[in-house]
Amino acid sequence: MQVLNMSGMYLSEGALQQLHLGMVSFWRELRVLDLTACNASRMACDYLAVGLPHCTKLEALHLGHNPIGRGMVTLAPALGSCPALRLLYLGDVALDDLGLQALARVLPNIPRLSTLDLSHVSAEVGSLTCLHAALSSCAVRRRKERRCRT
């Protein structure tokens, strides 16, 4: 399976655990995972953090409109193990400053990321400073890569 769209489905913590166990067989082929607005909470981030390192072909991850909150602290390091990830949708996920800082630390390790949606995320100045530094680092690296190809 390459695309799994479960957006809008209400998933209990038990359902998320069963989904995680059932996905073990196709993590490696998954290209798009859409869990938008399906009640994916901090616990869901724990399950995803275990599975994402196997998602070497994952290009798009949609987690918007879920109460992820501080779960990003667990999930962020696993995002760095998805080398094909191009789109990361985190709009309206109740990220706090720790979660945003954890995400910022891993962004430079996601080489193909071209779209990051953080709409409706509130943050303090310190978190935004970390995010700015991470995004600047990504931009500098991409410019250097382009020069090497020419």
Side-chain angles (χ1 to χ4, degrees), residues 22-117:
M23 289 177 64
V24 170
S25 61
F26 64 86
W27 281 112
R28 294 189 198 307
E29 297 303 316
L30 199 59
R31 293 186 185 275
V32 176
L33 178 58
D34 191 341
L35 297 174
T36 303
C38 66
N39 193 45
S41 63
R42 188 174 179 176
M43 174 86 53
C45 291
D46 294 343
Y47 296 129
L48 283 171
V50 172
L52 284 177
H54 303 286
C55 294
T56 57
K57 296 180 181 177
L58 189 67
E59 296 174 8
L61 179 59
H62 301 265
L63 294 174
H65 307 285
N66 284 300
I68 288 173
R70 195 162 286 180
M72 183 55 68
V73 172
T74 305
L75 182 61
L79 292 170
S81 62
C82 299
L85 192 62
R86 293 178 187 275
L87 181 142
L88 182 55
Y89 177 61
L90 298 171
D92 194 24
V93 293
L95 278 184
D96 64 4
D97 284 320
L98 288 176
L100 190 55
Q101 289 173 17
L103 176 64
R105 282 191 296 275
V106 78
L107 288 177
N109 300 327
I110 309 173
R112 294 188 178 166
L113 189 65
S114 61
T115 303
L116 174 63
D117 186 327

Side-chain angles (χ1 to χ4, degrees), residues 102-149:
L103 176 64
R105 282 191 296 275
V106 78
L107 288 177
N109 300 327
I110 309 173
R112 294 188 178 166
L113 189 65
S114 61
T115 303
L116 174 63
D117 186 327
L118 292 171
S119 56
H120 305 285
V121 171
S122 60
E124 296 293 325
V125 172
S127 297
L128 292 176
T129 301
C130 289
L131 183 62
H132 178 266
L135 295 174
S136 296
S137 170
C138 294
V140 167
R141 186 186 68 236
R142 287 193 180 112
R143 281 195 299 271
K144 287 180 181 176
E145 288 172 357
R146 276 189 224 115
R147 275 186 261 154
C148 289
R149 285 187 217 141

